[in-house]
Amino acid sequence: MSKKLYIETLGCAMNVRDSERMIAELTTKEGYEVTTDKKEADLILINTCSVREKPVHKLFSEVGGFLKEKKEGAKIGVCGCTASHLGSEIFKRAPQVDFVLGARNISRITEAIKTPKFISNDINYDESDFAFADFRNSIYKSYVNIMIGCDKHCAYCIVPHTRGDELSIPKNIILNEVKKAVSNGASEVFLLGQNVNNYGKRFSSNHSKMDFSDLLNEISEVDGLERIRFTSPHPLHMDDKFLETFAKNPKICKSMHMPLQSGSTSILKAMKRGYTREWFINRALKLRELVPSASISTDIIVAFPGESDEDFELTLDVMRKIRFEQIFSFKYSKRPLTPAATMPNQIPENIASARLTKLQSLYNEILDEISAAQLNKTYKVYFEELRENQTIAGRSDNNFLIVVNGSEELLGKMVDVKITKTSRTTLYGEIQS
Ligand code: SAH
Ligand code: SF4
Ligand code: F3S
C-alpha cells in the first residue's frame, strides 16, 4: 500500500505552487499518494504564510490539532514562509514537529522526510533552476514561477526575510514549463513572482538580457496558449513599454494588479514603496486610457504607523479616482524583522478597524455599480471550476468571476457568455451559441 500525504496550504499563489512542487517530488520519487483525510496520513505538511500575524498563530493551532488526530508514527513537517523566519524556534514551540523546510528550500523535501529533525531555512538557497517533478492540482489553472525572492524591502513586509533576494528564473525553463502546461491541456498560464515586471535584473548564471515585456511577448508565441495572467507587478516598474505591451498583446489578459498600499505620498515614502501618489494615479489612468475594458485590482494597507486621518482620506480619494474592480485590504500587522514594527506612532486597533470598515464600504459601493453595469454584456469565459448544482465557473479576460449552468464538458473551454444576473462578487450568465 502506498504512503499517504496530507498537505495544508496557507498564503499566496506562490505557496500553492510550492505545495504542488512538494507533492510532485513526494509522489514521483517517494511513492506517496495525496489524501484529504489527515487521520490516514503518514506525512502531514503545513505550508505556512507569515505576511500577517494571524496565519502564524494558525500554524501553531493547526499543529496542535494534527497531534491530536494523526495516526501513530505519522510525521509532521512545517514548510514555507514561517519556517523560513522562525527556523529552529518551531522545534522549541512545537517539539513534535519532525522537520522545518523554508520557502526557498522546498526542493529538499525528499531529504527532509528521511532525516530526523531536519532543518533547512536558508533564505538565499538557490532553487531558481531546480528541475522539480511535475504535478498540478488542476490542469486548467497552471501557475508558472518566473522569479523568486524580492529586493524591495517595503518597510512593513516580511517576504524578503522569508524568500530572500530576487532571482529571475532562466527563460528556457519558463518556456518549457509553459509548453508542458499547454500540452497537458491548459489554455491559460499564470506567471508568478513578487515583482514580475522587474523580471530579468538578476539571474544565478549567465543569461541574455531581457525584460518582462520581452518575456511576455516570447511566452505569447507558444502554440496553443491563449491567455497569460501574472501577479504581482509593481507600480514603480509600470513604464510605458510595459503598459503598451499589456495593451497590444492579445494573449495578455486585460486584468492588472496594481498594489497601491496607500494613497498618501508621505506614507508611501515611509513604506519605501518607491513611487508617489501622482505616479500611481498617472499609471492607472494611462492604463484605463490604453485599455478601457481592463480591470484593475489592488492591495491596500490601512493604519500603517503614522497614518493620519488626512493620509487615509488620500487613499479613499485614489479609490474614487481609479474605481478598482477588486481590492484586497488589510489592517497593518506588525511583523518581526521589519523596520515598521519599531516605528513610533503605531495606530491603535480601534482606529485601524474603523478605517478598514470605511474603506471596504466605499469599495462595496463602487463594486455594486461596476457589477450592475455588466448586465447584458458578453464575455469570453475560460471555464476552470465545477460548482454545486450543475453550475460551472470561469473568468472573463478582464477577470470577472462568471457562473453558468453547465457541467464537466465545459472545463477548459473558452465560450461566449451573456450576463443575465449580477451580484457584488459574481456574475451569472447564459452561454451564447
Ligand atoms: N509583492 C507583492 C505583495 C506580496 S504580500 C506586492 O508588492 O504587491 C501581499 C500583500 O500583503 C501586500 O501587497 C500588502 O498589501 C499585504 N501586506 C504585506 N505585509 C503586510 C503587513 N505587515 N500588514 C498588513 N498587510 C501586509
Ligand atoms: Fe513585500 Fe514590498 Fe516585496 Fe511586495 S514588493 S513582497 S510588499 S517587500
Ligand atoms: Fe506568500 Fe505569505 Fe510567503 S503571502 S510569499 S506565503 S508570507
Side-chain angles (χ1 to χ4, degrees):
M1 227 175 64
S2 66
K3 294 169 282 181
K4 298 273 198 301
L5 160 69
Y6 175 87
I7 183 160
E8 180 171 327
T9 307
L10 311 172
C12 63
M14 229 164 239
N15 258 16
V16 173
R17 183 65 186 138
D18 286 348
S19 287
E20 288 180 340
R21 291 173 141 179
M22 289 192 282
I23 293 171
E25 290 293 294
L26 291 169
T27 52
T28 58
K29 298 182 184 160
E30 301 295 331
Y32 278 88
E33 203 175 87
V34 177
T35 176
T36 51
D37 178 4
K38 50 189 146 204
K39 293 196 197 85
E40 67 164 14
D42 301 282
L43 173 62
I44 296 177
L45 297 182
I46 177 160
N47 195 8
T48 57
C49 173
S50 270
V51 79
R52 284 168 291 276
E53 205 178 351
K54 254 194 203 152
V56 177
H57 286 313
K58 185 151 182 202
L59 158 65
F60 290 101
S61 65
E62 289 292 288
V63 169
F66 292 151
L67 288 172
K68 277 190 214 121
E69 287 183 78
K70 80 179 182 86
K71 85 178 183 193
E72 213 181 308
K75 285 193 173 140
I76 299 181
V78 175
C79 317
C81 284
T82 313
S84 293
H85 79 97
L86 287 185
S88 58
E89 173 82 22
I90 292 173
F91 290 137
K92 285 192 203 126
R93 284 172 71 176
Q96 297 89 339
V97 165
D98 291 283
F99 61 88
V100 170
L101 200 58
R104 242 169 105 151
N105 304 247
I106 56 156
S107 58
R108 303 186 72 184
I109 183 71
T110 52
E111 225 181 311
I113 58 167
K114 292 174 204 149
T115 318
K117 293 287 170 195
F118 183 89
I119 177 163
S120 175
N121 67 334
D122 173 3
I123 60 165
N124 282 318
Y125 188 70
D126 185 4
E127 298 190 311
S128 64
D129 57 4
F130 186 81
F132 283 94
D134 213 16
F135 171 82
R136 292 183 185 286
N137 294 317
S138 154
I139 55 172
Y140 309 112
K141 226 186 168 97
S142 294
Y143 291 126
V144 174
N145 293 66
I146 67 161
M147 57 217 291
I148 55 181
C150 178
D151 279 352
K152 286 282 182 289
H153 293 272
C154 301
Y156 50 80
C157 185
I158 197 168
V159 173
H161 304 279
T162 69
R163 291 188 178 263
D165 295 341
E166 187 174 295
L167 269 182
S168 294
I169 293 173
K171 178 186 82 176
N172 61 327
I173 295 182
I174 297 171
L175 284 171
N176 280 340
E177 282 278 295
V178 172
K179 285 177 192 156
K180 224 181 330 172
V182 171
S183 69
N184 286 336
S187 299
E188 181 179 298
V189 290
F190 208 132
L191 310 178
L192 297 182
Q194 294 299 350
N195 286 295
V196 287
N197 52 344
N198 198 37
Y199 179 82
K201 295 286 183 314
R202 190 189 300 130
F203 294 91
S204 61
S205 52
N206 276 343
H207 193 279
S208 54
K209 213 174 162 245
M210 77 185 306
D211 64 16
F212 186 52
S213 301
D214 301 335
L215 180 71
L216 284 170
N217 286 333
E218 282 210 34
I219 291 175
S220 74
E221 280 162 22
V222 170
D223 271 348
L225 179 69
E226 294 190 47
R227 283 183 170 186
I228 305 169
R229 296 188 190 277
F230 51 83
T231 204
S232 290
H234 195 293
L236 174 66
H237 304 298
M238 292 195 177
D239 54 19
D240 286 350
K241 178 179 176 188
F242 171 62
L243 293 184
E244 276 153 21
T245 304
F246 176 84
K248 272 193 215 136
N249 190 320
K251 288 196 182 173
I252 300 176
C253 287
K254 300 304 178 249
S255 150
M256 183 78 89
H257 189 56
M258 289 188 70
L260 169 66
Q261 314 300 358
S262 167
S264 152
T265 297
S266 63
I267 295 296
L268 288 169
K269 199 164 175 209
M271 287 176 161
K272 293 206 161 45
R273 288 291 289 174
Y275 53 87
T276 60
R277 157 193 177 79
E278 289 71 27
W279 168 259
F280 185 94
I281 293 173
N282 170 288
R283 296 291 88 187
L285 294 180
K286 168 122 189 167
L287 181 61
R288 292 271 191 230
E289 182 194 313
L290 285 172
V291 194
S293 68
S295 63
I296 307 183
S297 56
T298 198
D299 291 350
I300 291 174
I301 298 176
V302 300
F304 181 81
E307 184 186 70
S308 65
D309 286 339
E310 291 72 29
D311 291 317
F312 176 62
E313 277 304 320
L314 287 167
T315 300
L316 297 180
D317 183 63
V318 177
M319 293 268 298
R320 291 190 196 97
K321 285 198 165 72
I322 308 303
R323 296 174 60 81
F324 300 103
E325 277 75 9
Q326 196 175 19
I327 70 166
F328 301 91
S329 49
F330 315 99
K331 277 187 269 187
Y332 165 72
S333 171
K334 235 185 198 187
R335 307 307 299 123
L337 310 171
T338 63
T342 49
M343 283 181 184
N345 305 324
Q346 300 280 329
I347 306 292
E349 168 61 30
N350 59 335
I351 295 181
S353 294
R355 286 184 185 162
L356 189 66
T357 305
K358 200 164 170 191
L359 181 84
Q360 288 176 343
S361 65
L362 172 62
Y363 168 57
N364 286 338
E365 265 173 47
I366 294 172
L367 184 58
D368 284 342
E369 288 167 16
I370 292 173
S371 300
Q374 306 313 313
L375 198 66
N376 296 324
K377 287 194 181 169
T378 299
Y379 286 112
K380 198 167 276 306
V381 177
Y382 178 57
F383 286 105
E384 55 192 11
E385 191 196 335
L386 281 176
R387 295 272 178 109
E388 285 173 342
N389 304 325
Q390 290 287 299
T391 60
I392 182 164
R395 298 262 168 191
S396 63
D397 171 78
N398 59 354
N399 210 30
F400 286 122
L401 177 64
I402 297 176
V403 174
V404 302
N405 288 328
S407 52
E408 234 157 13
E409 65 272 15
L410 280 173
L411 275 179
K413 300 259 162 46
M414 209 77 75
V415 184
D416 279 336
V417 174
K418 184 173 176 187
I419 305 304
T420 52
K421 194 176 125 197
T422 67
S423 77
R424 190 172 281 167
T425 53
T426 311
L427 305 177
Y428 301 87
E430 279 166 14
I431 288 173
Q432 301 295 285
S433 44

